[in-house]
Amino acid sequence: MTDETSTEQAAAEQTAVPSRRKVIGWGGAGLALGAAAAGGAALLTRDGDSTVPVAESGGAVPFHGPHQAGIATAVQDRLHFASFDVKTKDRDELIQLLKDWTRAAERMTAGAEVGEGAYGGLPEAPPDDTGEALGLKPSRLTLTIGFGPSLFDGRFGLKDKRPGALVDLPKFPGDNLDPARSGGDICVQACADDPQVAVHAIRNLARIGFGKVAVRWSQLGFGKTSSTTPDAQTPRNLFGFKDGTRNIAGTETERLAKHVWVSGKDAEGAAAWMDGGSYLVARRIRMNVETWDRTPLSEQEDIFGRDKKEGAPVGKAKEHDEPFLKAMKPDSHVRLAHPDSNNGATILRRGYSFTDGTDGLGRLEAGLFFLAYQRDVRTGFIPVQSSLAKSDALNEYTQHVASALFAVPPGVRDKDDWWGRALFA
């Protein structure tokens, strides 16, 4: 089966049966495509005779576009993030894998099965799709790929194409990073409103890559802690505070162009292949919830610089009121993280909460899986985290235990394009 045939078949199947093979709202994708192309945030889709927000539809987010989906896209409820080590030493084999992954991603985000599906093939051979997402909606699945600094070590002739912004992050005060859960050659971020859909996507990409790549580490996330749709209710983190009040919206094309998308002089020379891309910082942050839960409310609010009920900044009445930073304590989180305290440094956040059992001492292994996209980490994450690591009062209750940085290439333009094509050109 050719790539063109498989994609066309997927589209046909989506209109045939009311299952994962049917894209909810696919017929109305044109309504969402303009917003997706502008900033990756598909806003509306059709569900029967009505028009509903795509965040509530369970439908499909367009895969093709100038930017990868899953960055400015309306943040979904669930995450499965995986970092891979490349095991093959063959450049052509890696390129073919990226092409195969792209074709599989096109199908899964459209609500279709991988390849020839989970059943009906040769009984003597394993099926092309693992099958656990059969009957499920597309659930707004997005798949976003990134390339780590270690991919540019010379194995694949990419050393001269490493962008200047793909730096080695400094060691910040208080870091206690686990090397086994940090870094990686390639990452794939799977976001969806159904956790099984997200897990299915990573599982099938790992299966396709068997022998060529291996999962280095992965992270499941729930309860988005930031939103790219600020007109909706702001989510709360595991400390119970609203998070992401001033986050960049998926519809703010000017702010996205200024702070998130790589372009112009940023995408010249070695970094030309990054035009339309972004840079992703992933940090696993352990939250000492038991200690926090014994902290007085007034102290909690002073630490954040916002009240817990409304999310209003100190001295203000409403969450979205402009904060008066000098009214906050010098070591409050909001004051230190604010762009005005960091020469305008601004990042797009789309992190998730996590709980991974206990730590063996009767405490929850819980926290924030922080994800931040920016045009350049040297003017985005690094100055902000340097300020926070030095004097944030919240540091008493948190610790960064894993870290990774990836160059996220531009979007896949059409069915003939593939993840990383410009990098390997």
Side-chain angles (χ1 to χ4, degrees):
M1 180 181 290
T2 65
D3 292 339
E4 291 82 3
T5 301
S6 63
T7 303
E8 291 170 2
Q9 178 179 328
E13 288 172 341
Q14 290 153 18
T15 60
V17 291
S19 68
R20 185 158 170 77
R21 294 175 178 239
K22 178 179 180 180
V23 177
I24 305 301
W26 189 255
L31 293 174
L33 191 55
L43 300 180
L44 299 175
T45 187
R46 291 202 179 280
D47 187 5
D49 295 328
S50 61
T51 300
V52 298
V54 72
E56 301 172 6
S57 71
V61 175
F63 180 77
H64 298 121
H67 311 295
Q68 289 196 64
I71 301 175
T73 307
V75 183
Q76 303 93 322
D77 290 334
R78 301 286 181 152
L79 167 80
H80 190 187
F81 190 98
S83 176
F84 296 85
D85 287 331
V86 177
K87 297 301 184 181
T88 181
K89 297 180 180 178
D90 189 319
R91 176 187 169 103
D92 290 337
E93 194 169 46
L94 175 58
I95 289 173
Q96 187 58 53
L97 172 62
L98 292 171
K99 291 179 178 179
D100 293 343
W101 270 7
T102 304
R103 302 288 82 86
E106 286 173 336
R107 293 180 64 84
M108 289 189 289
T109 56
E113 298 160 49
V114 174
E116 296 186 1
Y119 57 86
L122 292 173
E124 297 81 11
D128 288 343
D129 188 285
T130 53
E132 70 273 23
L134 287 171
L136 301 179
K137 295 178 181 180
S139 300
R140 298 194 299 126
L141 172 67
T142 56
L143 292 167
T144 313
I145 197 169
F147 303 124
S150 55
L151 191 68
F152 299 83
D153 59 5
R155 286 173 291 169
F156 306 106
L158 302 175
K159 196 170 185 178
D160 293 338
K161 289 195 172 183
R162 177 173 173 172
L166 193 62
V167 298
D168 294 322
L169 293 177
K171 178 176 175 56
F172 299 101
D175 278 1
N176 185 23
L177 306 182
D178 179 359
R181 296 186 66 97
S182 299
D185 293 329
I186 300 175
C187 76
V188 179
Q189 169 194 284
C191 297
D193 289 327
D194 187 322
Q196 189 143 316
V197 170
V199 170
H200 167 266
I202 294 296
R203 177 183 176 185
N204 278 268
L205 294 180
R207 180 189 56 78
I208 293 169
F210 182 77
K212 306 176 188 68
V213 296
V215 176
R216 178 180 177 85
W217 56 268
S218 69
Q219 181 67 58
L220 292 172
F222 67 91
K224 60 187 179 187
T225 60
S226 295
S227 172
T228 53
T229 50
D231 53 325
Q233 179 174 318
T234 304
R236 294 179 184 269
N237 56 37
L238 289 183
F239 286 158
F241 278 76
K242 291 184 176 182
D243 206 343
T245 295
R246 297 177 57 86
N247 203 27
I248 301 172
T251 52
E252 293 182 298
T253 54
E254 291 186 5
R255 290 185 76 199
L256 288 167
K258 182 177 181 180
H259 299 295
V260 179
W261 307 132
V262 177
S263 63
K265 291 183 179 180
D266 299 328
E268 292 180 350
W273 62 273
M274 277 292 291
D275 188 15
S278 189
Y279 291 94
L280 168 64
V281 172
R283 304 276 286 188
R284 190 173 191 267
I285 305 173
R286 172 78 185 272
M287 298 168 71
N288 301 317
V289 294
E290 290 83 5
T291 304
W292 179 262
D293 292 344
R294 295 192 297 271
T295 302
L297 175 60
S298 60
E299 185 176 344
Q300 291 183 0
E301 293 181 332
D302 283 343
I303 288 171
F304 270 98
R306 291 182 178 274
D307 79 274
K308 198 166 190 176
K309 178 184 178 182
E310 174 64 27
V314 173
K316 304 290 183 175
K318 300 295 183 182
E319 175 192 352
H320 293 281
D321 289 345
E322 189 67 23
F324 180 53
L325 300 182
K326 291 184 178 179
M328 302 176 183
K329 292 195 171 183
D331 59 355
S332 70
H333 183 74
V334 169
R335 179 170 178 170
L336 291 172
H338 196 278
D340 289 350
S341 300
N342 297 284
N343 295 316
T346 303
I347 55 180
L348 186 154
R349 289 168 290 156
R350 51 181 302 134
Y352 288 82
S353 296
F354 70 83
T355 55
D356 292 337
T358 65
D359 64 358
L361 298 174
R363 300 174 301 192
L364 285 174
E365 179 74 29
L368 167 67
F369 190 64
F370 175 87
L371 296 168
Y373 288 88
Q374 60 250 277
R375 185 171 177 168
D376 191 324
V377 295
R378 295 169 296 186
T379 56
F381 174 78
I382 290 178
V384 174
Q385 182 55 27
S386 296
S387 175
L388 293 172
K390 187 183 301 182
S391 53
D392 187 3
L394 199 56
N395 293 339
E396 182 180 347
Y397 304 91
T398 63
Q399 186 172 58
H400 291 234
V401 295
S403 177
L405 170 64
F406 300 94
V408 177
V412 176
R413 298 283 181 156
D414 52 43
K415 63 182 179 61
D416 296 319
D417 199 3
W418 45 277
W419 276 335
R421 177 185 57 79
L423 171 59
F424 288 89

